[in-house]
Amino acid sequence: MAIRADNTLISDREMLVELAKLPFRKIGTWLTSIAESNSRTKALQAIANLSQAELAALGMTRAELISQTFRHDA
């Protein structure tokens, strides 16, 4: 048995499982940061943050705005 940082007991098996998961968590975090830094992701986030009133002022639906945003990617 060992003690975690939060002062809870952890068995040796649980500790090995946590150690085995660590590289995969780090890779997942890294891949998430890459995806979030992508310009497409940033554009989609900006569109998602628009309110219904802002969309109405533009005279577009969210789907139309997304389509227009990525029209020139092909």
Side-chain angles (χ1 to χ4, degrees):
M1 293 285 206
I3 297 178
R4 287 184 176 163
D6 62 357
N7 289 334
T8 58
L9 286 177
I10 183 172
S11 69
D12 291 337
R13 181 177 182 202
E14 289 173 319
M15 187 182 307
L16 287 174
V17 169
E18 291 296 319
L19 287 172
K21 289 180 184 178
L22 187 61
F24 298 102
R25 286 188 183 140
K26 295 290 184 183
I27 291 170
T29 302
W30 178 67
L31 289 172
T32 301
S33 68
I34 288 173
E36 289 174 349
S37 68
N38 185 332
S39 62
R40 285 181 173 212
T41 304
K42 289 179 181 178
L44 288 173
Q45 187 63 44
I47 293 169
N49 289 337
L50 291 175
S51 68
Q52 292 298 330
E54 291 170 321
L55 287 170
L58 292 172
M60 301 181 83
T61 65
R62 205 172 302 276
E64 291 170 339
L65 189 55
I66 291 170
S67 177
Q68 181 182 358
T69 302
F70 295 115
R71 180 177 295 153
H72 301 290
D73 285 352

Coordinates of all heavy atoms in Angstrom, one line a residue:
M1 N 0.8 -1.2 0.0 CA 0.0 0.0 0.0 C 0.9 1.2 0.0 O 2.0 1.3 0.5 CB -0.9 0.0 1.2 CG -1.9 -1.0 1.3 SD -3.2 -0.6 0.2 CE -4.6 -1.4 0.9
A2 N 0.3 2.3 -0.6 CA 1.0 3.5 -0.7 C 0.0 4.6 -0.4 O -1.2 4.4 -0.4 CB 1.6 3.7 -2.0
I3 N 0.4 5.8 -0.2 CA -0.5 7.0 0.0 C -0.4 7.9 -1.1 O 0.7 8.3 -1.6 CB -0.1 7.7 1.3 CG1 -0.2 6.7 2.5 CG2 -0.9 8.9 1.5 CD1 0.2 7.3 3.8
R4 N -1.6 8.3 -1.7 CA -1.6 9.3 -2.7 C -1.4 10.7 -2.2 O -1.4 10.9 -1.0 CB -3.0 9.3 -3.4 CG -3.3 8.1 -4.2 CD -4.6 8.2 -4.9 NE -4.9 7.1 -5.8 CZ -6.1 6.8 -6.2 NH1 -7.1 7.5 -5.9 NH2 -6.2 5.8 -7.1
A5 N -1.3 11.6 -3.1 CA -1.1 13.0 -2.7 C -2.3 13.6 -1.9 O -2.1 14.4 -1.0 CB -0.9 13.9 -3.9
D6 N -3.5 13.0 -2.1 CA -4.6 13.5 -1.3 C -4.8 12.7 -0.1 O -5.9 12.7 0.5 CB -5.9 13.4 -2.2 CG -6.2 12.0 -2.7 OD1 -5.5 11.0 -2.4 OD2 -7.3 11.8 -3.3
N7 N -3.8 12.0 0.4 CA -3.7 11.2 1.6 C -4.7 10.0 1.7 O -5.1 9.5 2.7 CB -4.0 12.1 2.9 CG -2.8 13.0 3.1 OD1 -1.7 12.7 2.8 ND2 -3.1 14.1 3.7
T8 N -5.0 9.4 0.5 CA -5.8 8.2 0.5 C -4.9 7.1 0.2 O -3.9 7.2 -0.5 CB -6.9 8.3 -0.6 OG1 -6.3 8.5 -1.9 CG2 -7.9 9.4 -0.3
L9 N -5.3 5.9 0.7 CA -4.5 4.7 0.4 C -4.7 4.2 -1.0 O -5.8 4.2 -1.5 CB -4.8 3.6 1.4 CG -4.3 3.8 2.9 CD1 -4.8 2.7 3.8 CD2 -2.8 3.9 2.9
I10 N -3.7 3.6 -1.6 CA -3.8 3.1 -2.9 C -3.0 1.8 -2.9 O -1.9 1.7 -2.3 CB -3.3 4.0 -4.0 CG1 -3.4 3.5 -5.4 CG2 -1.9 4.5 -3.7 CD1 -3.1 4.5 -6.5
S11 N -3.5 0.7 -3.5 CA -2.8 -0.6 -3.5 C -1.7 -0.5 -4.6 O -1.7 0.4 -5.5 CB -3.8 -1.7 -3.8 OG -4.3 -1.6 -5.1
D12 N -0.8 -1.5 -4.5 CA 0.2 -1.5 -5.5 C -0.3 -1.7 -6.9 O 0.2 -1.2 -7.9 CB 1.2 -2.7 -5.2 CG 2.0 -2.4 -3.9 OD1 2.2 -1.2 -3.6 OD2 2.5 -3.4 -3.3
R13 N -1.4 -2.6 -7.0 CA -2.0 -2.8 -8.3 C -2.6 -1.5 -8.9 O -2.5 -1.2 -10.0 CB -3.1 -3.8 -8.2 CG -3.7 -4.1 -9.5 CD -4.7 -5.2 -9.5 NE -5.3 -5.5 -10.8 CZ -6.4 -6.0 -11.0 NH1 -7.2 -6.4 -10.0 NH2 -6.8 -6.2 -12.2
E14 N -3.3 -0.7 -8.0 CA -3.9 0.5 -8.4 C -2.8 1.5 -8.9 O -3.0 2.3 -9.8 CB -4.7 1.1 -7.3 CG -6.0 0.4 -7.0 CD -6.7 0.9 -5.8 OE1 -6.0 1.2 -4.8 OE2 -8.0 1.1 -5.8
M15 N -1.7 1.5 -8.1 CA -0.6 2.4 -8.5 C 0.0 2.0 -9.8 O 0.3 2.9 -10.7 CB 0.5 2.3 -7.4 CG 1.6 3.3 -7.6 SD 3.0 3.2 -6.4 CE 2.1 3.2 -4.9
L16 N 0.1 0.7 -10.1 CA 0.6 0.3 -11.4 C -0.3 0.7 -12.6 O 0.1 1.1 -13.6 CB 0.9 -1.2 -11.5 CG 2.1 -1.6 -10.7 CD1 2.2 -3.2 -10.6 CD2 3.4 -1.1 -11.2
V17 N -1.6 0.6 -12.3 CA -2.6 1.0 -13.3 C -2.5 2.5 -13.6 O -2.6 2.9 -14.7 CB -4.1 0.6 -12.8 CG1 -5.1 1.2 -13.7 CG2 -4.2 -1.0 -12.8
E18 N -2.4 3.3 -12.5 CA -2.3 4.7 -12.7 C -1.0 5.1 -13.5 O -1.0 5.9 -14.3 CB -2.3 5.4 -11.3 CG -3.6 5.4 -10.6 CD -4.7 6.1 -11.3 OE1 -4.4 7.2 -11.9 OE2 -5.8 5.6 -11.4
L19 N 0.1 4.4 -13.2 CA 1.3 4.7 -13.9 C 1.2 4.3 -15.4 O 1.7 4.9 -16.2 CB 2.5 3.9 -13.2 CG 3.0 4.5 -11.9 CD1 4.0 3.6 -11.3 CD2 3.5 5.9 -12.1
A20 N 0.5 3.2 -15.6 CA 0.3 2.7 -17.0 C -0.6 3.7 -17.8 O -0.4 3.9 -19.0 CB -0.3 1.3 -17.0
K21 N -1.6 4.3 -17.1 CA -2.5 5.3 -17.8 C -1.8 6.6 -18.1 O -2.2 7.3 -19.0 CB -3.7 5.6 -16.9 CG -4.6 4.4 -16.8 CD -5.8 4.8 -15.9 CE -6.8 3.7 -15.6 NZ -7.9 4.2 -14.7
L22 N -0.8 7.0 -17.3 CA -0.2 8.3 -17.4 C 0.3 8.7 -18.8 O -0.1 9.8 -19.3 CB 1.0 8.4 -16.4 CG 1.6 9.8 -16.3 CD1 0.6 10.8 -15.8 CD2 2.8 9.7 -15.3
P23 N 1.0 7.8 -19.5 CA 1.5 8.2 -20.9 C 0.3 8.5 -21.8 O 0.3 9.4 -22.6 CB 2.3 7.1 -21.4 CG 2.6 6.3 -20.2 CD 1.6 6.6 -19.2
F24 N -0.8 7.7 -21.7 CA -1.9 7.9 -22.6 C -2.7 9.2 -22.2 O -3.2 9.9 -23.1 CB -2.9 6.7 -22.5 CG -2.2 5.4 -22.9 CD1 -1.7 4.5 -22.0 CD2 -2.0 5.1 -24.3 CE1 -1.1 3.3 -22.4 CE2 -1.4 4.0 -24.7 CZ -1.0 3.1 -23.8
R25 N -2.7 9.5 -21.0 CA -3.3 10.8 -20.6 C -2.5 12.0 -21.2 O -3.1 13.0 -21.6 CB -3.4 10.9 -19.1 CG -4.5 10.1 -18.5 CD -4.6 10.4 -17.0 NE -5.6 9.5 -16.4 CZ -5.5 8.9 -15.3 NH1 -4.5 9.1 -14.5 NH2 -6.5 8.1 -14.8
K26 N -1.2 11.9 -21.1 CA -0.3 12.9 -21.6 C -0.5 13.1 -23.1 O -0.6 14.2 -23.6 CB 1.1 12.7 -21.2 CG 1.4 12.7 -19.8 CD 1.4 14.1 -19.3 CE 1.8 14.1 -17.8 NZ 1.6 15.4 -17.2
I27 N -0.6 12.0 -23.8 CA -0.8 12.0 -25.3 C -2.1 12.6 -25.6 O -2.3 13.4 -26.5 CB -0.6 10.6 -25.9 CG1 0.8 10.1 -25.8 CG2 -1.1 10.6 -27.3 CD1 1.0 8.7 -26.1
G28 N -3.1 12.2 -24.8 CA -4.5 12.8 -25.0 C -4.5 14.3 -24.8 O -5.1 15.0 -25.6
T29 N -3.8 14.7 -23.8 CA -3.7 16.2 -23.5 C -3.0 16.9 -24.6 O -3.4 18.0 -25.1 CB -3.0 16.4 -22.2 OG1 -3.7 15.7 -21.1 CG2 -2.9 17.9 -21.9
W30 N -2.0 16.3 -25.1 CA -1.2 16.9 -26.2 C -2.0 17.0 -27.5 O -2.1 18.0 -28.2 CB 0.1 16.0 -26.5 CG 0.9 16.5 -27.6 CD1 1.6 17.7 -27.7 CD2 1.1 15.8 -28.8 NE1 2.3 17.7 -28.9 CE2 2.0 16.6 -29.6 CE3 0.7 14.6 -29.3 CZ2 2.4 16.2 -30.9 CZ3 1.1 14.2 -30.6 CH2 2.0 15.0 -31.3
L31 N -2.8 15.9 -27.8 CA -3.6 15.9 -29.0 C -4.7 16.9 -28.9 O -5.1 17.6 -29.9 CB -4.2 14.5 -29.3 CG -3.2 13.4 -29.7 CD1 -3.8 12.1 -29.8 CD2 -2.6 13.8 -31.1
T32 N -5.3 17.1 -27.7 CA -6.3 18.0 -27.5 C -5.8 19.5 -27.7 O -6.4 20.3 -28.3 CB -6.9 17.9 -26.1 OG1 -7.4 16.6 -25.9 CG2 -8.0 18.9 -25.8
S33 N -4.6 19.7 -27.2 CA -4.0 21.1 -27.4 C -3.7 21.3 -28.9 O -3.9 22.5 -29.3 CB -2.7 21.2 -26.6 OG -1.7 20.4 -27.1
I34 N -3.3 20.3 -29.6 CA -3.1 20.5 -31.1 C -4.4 20.8 -31.8 O -4.5 21.8 -32.6 CB -2.5 19.3 -31.7 CG1 -1.0 19.1 -31.3 CG2 -2.6 19.3 -33.2 CD1 -0.4 17.9 -31.7
A35 N -5.5 20.1 -31.4 CA -6.8 20.3 -32.0 C -7.3 21.7 -31.7 O -7.9 22.4 -32.5 CB -7.8 19.2 -31.6
E36 N -7.2 22.1 -30.5 CA -7.7 23.4 -30.0 C -6.9 24.6 -30.7 O -7.4 25.7 -30.8 CB -7.7 23.5 -28.5 CG -8.7 22.6 -27.9 CD -8.7 22.6 -26.4 OE1 -7.7 23.1 -25.8 OE2 -9.6 22.1 -25.8
S37 N -5.7 24.3 -31.1 CA -4.9 25.4 -31.7 C -5.2 25.5 -33.2 O -4.7 26.4 -33.8 CB -3.4 25.2 -31.4 OG -3.0 24.1 -32.1
N38 N -5.9 24.6 -33.7 CA -6.2 24.5 -35.2 C -7.2 25.7 -35.5 O -8.1 26.0 -34.8 CB -6.9 23.2 -35.5 CG -7.2 23.0 -36.9 OD1 -7.4 24.0 -37.7 ND2 -7.2 21.8 -37.3
S39 N -6.9 26.4 -36.6 CA -7.7 27.5 -37.0 C -9.2 27.2 -37.3 O -10.1 28.0 -37.0 CB -7.1 28.2 -38.3 OG -7.1 27.3 -39.4
R40 N -9.4 26.0 -37.7 CA -10.8 25.5 -37.9 C -11.6 25.5 -36.6 O -12.7 25.9 -36.5 CB -10.9 24.2 -38.6 CG -10.6 24.2 -40.1 CD -10.7 22.8 -40.7 NE -10.5 22.9 -42.1 CZ -11.1 22.1 -43.0 NH1 -11.9 21.2 -42.5 NH2 -11.0 22.3 -44.3
T41 N -10.9 24.9 -35.6 CA -11.5 24.8 -34.3 C -11.8 26.2 -33.7 O -12.9 26.4 -33.2 CB -10.6 24.0 -33.4 OG1 -10.3 22.7 -33.9 CG2 -11.2 23.8 -32.0
K42 N -10.9 27.1 -33.9 CA -11.1 28.5 -33.4 C -12.3 29.1 -34.1 O -13.1 29.8 -33.5 CB -9.8 29.3 -33.6 CG -8.7 28.9 -32.6 CD -7.5 29.7 -32.8 CE -6.4 29.3 -31.9 NZ -5.1 30.0 -32.1
A43 N -12.4 28.9 -35.4 CA -13.5 29.5 -36.2 C -14.8 28.9 -35.7 O -15.8 29.6 -35.6 CB -13.3 29.3 -37.7
L44 N -14.9 27.6 -35.6 CA -16.1 27.0 -35.1 C -16.5 27.4 -33.7 O -17.6 27.6 -33.4 CB -15.9 25.4 -35.1 CG -15.9 24.8 -36.5 CD1 -15.6 23.3 -36.4 CD2 -17.2 25.0 -37.2
Q45 N -15.5 27.6 -32.8 CA -15.8 28.1 -31.5 C -16.3 29.5 -31.5 O -17.3 29.8 -30.8 CB -14.5 28.1 -30.6 CG -14.7 28.4 -29.2 CD -15.6 27.4 -28.5 OE1 -15.5 26.2 -28.7 NE2 -16.6 27.8 -27.7
A46 N -15.8 30.4 -32.4 CA -16.3 31.7 -32.6 C -17.8 31.7 -33.0 O -18.6 32.5 -32.5 CB -15.4 32.5 -33.5
I47 N -18.1 30.8 -34.0 CA -19.4 30.7 -34.5 C -20.4 30.2 -33.4 O -21.5 30.6 -33.2 CB -19.5 29.8 -35.7 CG1 -18.8 30.5 -36.9 CG2 -20.9 29.4 -36.1 CD1 -18.5 29.6 -38.1
A48 N -19.9 29.2 -32.6 CA -20.7 28.6 -31.5 C -21.0 29.7 -30.4 O -22.0 29.6 -29.8 CB -20.0 27.4 -30.9
N49 N -20.1 30.6 -30.3 CA -20.3 31.6 -29.2 C -21.2 32.8 -29.6 O -21.6 33.6 -28.8 CB -18.9 32.3 -28.9 CG -18.1 31.3 -28.1 OD1 -18.6 30.4 -27.4 ND2 -16.8 31.5 -28.1
L50 N -21.6 32.8 -30.9 CA -22.6 33.8 -31.4 C -24.0 33.5 -30.8 O -24.4 32.4 -30.8 CB -22.7 33.8 -32.9 CG -21.5 34.3 -33.7 CD1 -21.7 34.1 -35.2 CD2 -21.2 35.8 -33.4
S51 N -24.6 34.6 -30.3 CA -26.0 34.4 -29.8 C -27.0 34.3 -31.0 O -26.6 34.7 -32.1 CB -26.3 35.6 -28.9 OG -26.5 36.7 -29.7
Q52 N -28.2 33.9 -30.7 CA -29.2 33.9 -31.7 C -29.5 35.3 -32.2 O -29.8 35.4 -33.4 CB -30.5 33.2 -31.1 CG -30.4 31.7 -30.8 CD -30.1 30.9 -32.1 OE1 -30.5 31.2 -33.2 NE2 -29.3 29.8 -31.9
A53 N -29.4 36.3 -31.4 CA -29.7 37.6 -31.8 C -28.6 38.1 -32.8 O -28.9 38.8 -33.8 CB -29.7 38.6 -30.6
E54 N -27.3 37.7 -32.5 CA -26.2 38.1 -33.4 C -26.4 37.4 -34.8 O -26.1 38.0 -35.8 CB -24.9 37.7 -32.8 CG -24.6 38.6 -31.6 CD -23.4 38.1 -30.8 OE1 -23.2 36.9 -30.6 OE2 -22.6 39.0 -30.4
L55 N -26.8 36.1 -34.7 CA -27.1 35.4 -36.0 C -28.2 36.0 -36.8 O -28.1 36.2 -38.0 CB -27.4 33.9 -35.7 CG -26.2 33.1 -35.3 CD1 -26.7 31.7 -34.8 CD2 -25.2 32.9 -36.4
A56 N -29.2 36.4 -36.1 CA -30.4 37.1 -36.7 C -30.0 38.4 -37.4 O -30.4 38.8 -38.5 CB -31.5 37.3 -35.7
A57 N -29.1 39.1 -36.7 CA -28.6 40.4 -37.2 C -27.8 40.2 -38.5 O -27.8 41.0 -39.4 CB -27.7 41.1 -36.2
L58 N -27.1 39.1 -38.6 CA -26.3 38.7 -39.8 C -27.2 38.2 -40.9 O -26.9 38.1 -42.0 CB -25.3 37.7 -39.5 CG -24.1 38.1 -38.6 CD1 -23.3 36.9 -38.2 CD2 -23.3 39.1 -39.3
G59 N -28.4 37.8 -40.5 CA -29.4 37.2 -41.4 C -29.0 35.8 -41.9 O -29.3 35.4 -43.0
M60 N -28.3 35.1 -41.0 CA -27.9 33.7 -41.4 C -28.2 32.7 -40.2 O -28.3 33.1 -39.1 CB -26.4 33.7 -41.6 CG -25.9 34.6 -42.7 SD -24.1 34.5 -42.9 CE -24.0 33.1 -43.9
T61 N -28.2 31.5 -40.6 CA -28.3 30.4 -39.6 C -26.9 30.0 -39.2 O -25.9 30.3 -40.0 CB -29.1 29.2 -40.1 OG1 -28.4 28.6 -41.2 CG2 -30.5 29.6 -40.5
R62 N -26.8 29.3 -38.2 CA -25.4 28.8 -37.8 C -24.8 27.9 -38.8 O -23.7 28.0 -39.2 CB -25.5 28.1 -36.4 CG -24.3 28.1 -35.6 CD -24.5 27.5 -34.2 NE -25.5 28.2 -33.4 CZ -25.2 29.3 -32.7 NH1 -24.0 29.8 -32.7 NH2 -26.2 29.9 -32.0
A63 N -25.7 27.0 -39.4 CA -25.2 26.1 -40.5 C -24.7 26.9 -41.7 O -23.7 26.5 -42.3 CB -26.3 25.1 -40.8
E64 N -25.5 27.9 -42.1 CA -25.1 28.7 -43.2 C -23.7 29.4 -43.0 O -22.9 29.5 -43.9 CB -26.1 29.7 -43.6 CG -27.4 29.2 -44.1 CD -28.5 30.2 -44.2 OE1 -28.5 31.2 -43.5 OE2 -29.5 29.9 -45.0
L65 N -23.6 29.9 -41.8 CA -22.3 30.6 -41.4 C -21.1 29.6 -41.4 O -20.1 30.0 -42.0 CB -22.5 31.3 -40.1 CG -21.4 32.2 -39.6 CD1 -21.1 33.3 -40.7 CD2 -21.7 32.8 -38.3
I66 N -21.4 28.4 -40.9 CA -20.3 27.4 -41.0 C -19.9 27.1 -42.4 O -18.8 27.0 -42.8 CB -20.7 26.2 -40.2 CG1 -20.7 26.5 -38.7 CG2 -19.7 25.0 -40.4 CD1 -21.3 25.4 -37.8
S67 N -21.0 26.8 -43.2 CA -20.8 26.5 -44.6 C -20.0 27.6 -45.3 O -19.1 27.4 -46.1 CB -22.1 26.3 -45.3 OG -21.9 26.0 -46.7
Q68 N -20.3 28.9 -45.1 CA -19.7 30.0 -45.7 C -18.2 30.1 -45.2 O -17.3 30.4 -46.0 CB -20.4 31.3 -45.4 CG -19.8 32.5 -46.1 CD -20.5 33.8 -45.7 OE1 -21.5 33.8 -45.0 NE2 -19.9 34.9 -46.2
T69 N -18.0 29.8 -44.0 CA -16.7 29.9 -43.4 C -15.7 29.0 -44.0 O -14.5 29.3 -44.3 CB -16.7 29.7 -41.8 OG1 -17.6 30.7 -41.3 CG2 -15.4 29.8 -41.2
F70 N -16.2 27.7 -44.3 CA -15.3 26.7 -44.8 C -15.4 26.4 -46.3 O -14.9 25.5 -46.8 CB -15.5 25.4 -44.0 CG -15.1 25.5 -42.6 CD1 -16.0 25.4 -41.6 CD2 -13.8 25.8 -42.2 CE1 -15.7 25.5 -40.3 CE2 -13.4 25.9 -40.9 CZ -14.4 25.8 -39.9
R71 N -16.2 27.3 -47.0 CA -16.4 27.1 -48.4 C -15.1 27.1 -49.2 O -15.0 26.3 -50.2 CB -17.3 28.2 -48.9 CG -17.6 28.1 -50.4 CD -18.6 29.2 -50.9 NE -19.8 29.0 -50.2 CZ -20.7 30.0 -49.9 NH1 -20.4 31.2 -50.3 NH2 -21.8 29.8 -49.2
H72 N -14.1 27.8 -48.9 CA -12.9 28.0 -49.7 C -11.8 27.0 -49.3 O -10.7 27.1 -49.8 CB -12.4 29.4 -49.6 CG -13.4 30.4 -50.1 ND1 -13.7 30.5 -51.4 CD2 -14.1 31.3 -49.4 CE1 -14.6 31.5 -51.5 NE2 -14.9 32.0 -50.3
D73 N -12.2 26.0 -48.5 CA -11.2 25.0 -48.0 C -10.9 23.9 -49.1 O -9.9 23.2 -49.0 CB -11.6 24.4 -46.7 CG -11.3 25.3 -45.6 OD1 -10.7 26.4 -45.8 OD2 -11.7 25.0 -44.4
A74 N -11.9 23.7 -50.0 CA -11.8 22.6 -50.9 C -10.7 22.8 -52.0 O -10.2 23.8 -52.2 CB -13.1 22.4 -51.6

